[in-house]
Coordinates of all heavy atoms in Angstrom, one line a residue:
D18 N -10.2 24.7 -1.1 CA -11.3 25.7 -0.9 C -12.3 25.8 -2.0 O -13.3 26.6 -1.9 CB -10.7 27.1 -0.6 CG -9.8 27.1 0.6 OD1 -10.2 26.5 1.6 OD2 -8.8 27.8 0.6
Q29 N -10.3 11.9 0.1 CA -8.9 11.4 0.0 C -8.2 11.5 1.3 O -7.5 10.6 1.7 CB -8.2 12.1 -1.2 CG -8.7 11.8 -2.5 CD -8.1 12.7 -3.6 OE1 -7.5 13.8 -3.3 NE2 -8.2 12.3 -4.9
A59 N 15.9 28.4 13.3 CA 16.1 27.3 14.2 C 17.6 26.8 14.1 O 18.2 26.5 15.1 CB 15.2 26.1 13.8
K60 N 18.1 26.8 12.9 CA 19.5 26.3 12.7 C 20.4 27.3 13.4 O 21.3 26.8 14.1 CB 19.8 26.4 11.2 CG 21.2 26.0 10.8 CD 21.5 24.5 11.0 CE 22.9 24.2 10.4 NZ 23.2 22.8 10.6
L66 N 25.8 28.2 21.9 CA 26.4 27.4 23.0 C 25.3 27.0 24.0 O 24.3 27.7 24.1 CB 27.5 28.3 23.7 CG 28.7 28.7 22.9 CD1 29.6 29.6 23.7 CD2 29.5 27.5 22.4
W73 N 16.9 28.4 30.0 CA 15.5 28.6 29.7 C 14.7 27.3 29.4 O 14.3 27.1 28.2 CB 15.3 29.6 28.5 CG 15.8 31.0 28.9 CD1 15.1 32.0 29.4 CD2 17.2 31.5 28.8 NE1 15.9 33.1 29.7 CE2 17.2 32.8 29.3 CE3 18.4 30.9 28.3 CZ2 18.4 33.5 29.3 CZ3 19.5 31.6 28.3 CH2 19.5 33.0 28.8
P103 N -2.1 33.2 21.0 CA -1.5 34.4 20.3 C -1.1 35.5 21.2 O -1.9 35.9 22.1 CB -2.6 34.8 19.3 CG -3.4 33.6 19.0 CD -3.4 32.8 20.4
A105 N 1.3 35.1 23.5 CA 1.9 34.6 24.7 C 3.4 34.7 24.6 O 4.1 34.8 25.7 CB 1.5 33.1 24.8
A112 N 10.7 33.7 29.5 CA 10.8 32.2 29.3 C 11.5 31.8 28.1 O 11.8 30.7 27.9 CB 9.4 31.6 29.3
V140 N -12.2 20.6 8.7 CA -13.4 20.7 7.9 C -13.5 19.5 7.0 O -14.6 19.0 6.8 CB -13.4 22.1 7.2 CG1 -14.6 22.1 6.1 CG2 -13.6 23.2 8.1
L148 N -20.8 14.6 8.8 CA -21.4 15.2 10.0 C -22.3 16.4 9.6 O -22.1 17.0 8.6 CB -20.3 15.7 10.9 CG -19.3 14.6 11.4 CD1 -18.2 15.3 12.3 CD2 -20.0 13.5 12.1
S167 N 1.0 24.6 19.8 CA 2.4 24.6 20.0 C 3.2 24.3 18.7 O 2.8 23.4 18.0 CB 2.8 23.5 21.1 OG 4.2 23.5 21.3
L241 N -10.8 7.5 12.5 CA -9.5 8.2 12.1 C -8.4 7.6 13.0 O -8.6 7.3 14.2 CB -9.6 9.7 12.3 CG -10.7 10.3 11.5 CD1 -10.8 11.8 11.8 CD2 -10.6 10.2 10.0
G252 N 17.6 4.4 11.4 CA 17.0 5.2 10.4 C 17.7 6.6 10.2 O 17.7 7.1 9.1
P254 N 21.3 7.7 11.5 CA 22.6 7.4 12.2 C 23.1 8.6 13.0 O 22.8 9.8 12.7 CB 23.5 7.1 11.0 CG 22.7 6.6 9.9 CD 21.4 7.5 10.0
A263 N 7.4 20.8 14.1 CA 6.1 20.2 14.3 C 5.2 21.2 14.9 O 5.5 21.9 15.9 CB 6.1 18.9 15.1
F265 N 1.5 21.4 16.5 CA 0.5 20.5 17.1 C -0.8 21.3 17.3 O -0.9 22.1 18.2 CB 1.0 20.0 18.5 CG 2.3 19.2 18.4 CD1 3.6 19.8 18.6 CD2 2.3 17.9 18.1 CE1 4.7 19.1 18.5 CE2 3.5 17.1 18.0 CZ 4.7 17.8 18.2
N269 N -9.6 22.9 22.1 CA -9.6 23.6 23.4 C -9.7 22.6 24.6 O -10.4 21.6 24.5 CB -10.8 24.5 23.5 CG -10.9 25.5 22.2 OD1 -12.0 25.8 21.8 ND2 -9.7 25.9 21.7
P276 N -16.9 9.5 21.8 CA -16.7 8.9 20.5 C -17.9 9.1 19.6 O -19.1 8.9 20.1 CB -16.4 7.5 20.8 CG -15.8 7.5 22.2 CD -16.5 8.6 22.9
M283 N -17.6 0.9 21.3 CA -16.2 1.1 20.9 C -15.3 0.3 21.9 O -15.6 0.3 23.1 CB -15.8 2.6 21.0 CG -14.4 2.9 20.6 SD -14.1 4.7 20.6 CE -12.3 4.7 20.5
Y287 N -6.3 2.9 23.7 CA -5.0 3.1 24.5 C -4.2 4.2 23.8 O -4.0 4.2 22.5 CB -4.2 1.8 24.6 CG -4.9 0.8 25.6 CD1 -5.7 -0.1 25.1 CD2 -4.6 0.9 27.0 CE1 -6.3 -1.0 26.0 CE2 -5.2 0.0 27.8 CZ -6.1 -1.0 27.3 OH -6.7 -1.9 28.2

Side-chain angles (χ1 to χ4, degrees):
D18 295 322
Q29 291 174 341
K60 177 74 170 179
L66 298 175
W73 292 270
V140 168
L148 297 181
S167 180
L241 304 173
F265 299 95
N269 307 143
M283 181 177 170
Y287 290 91

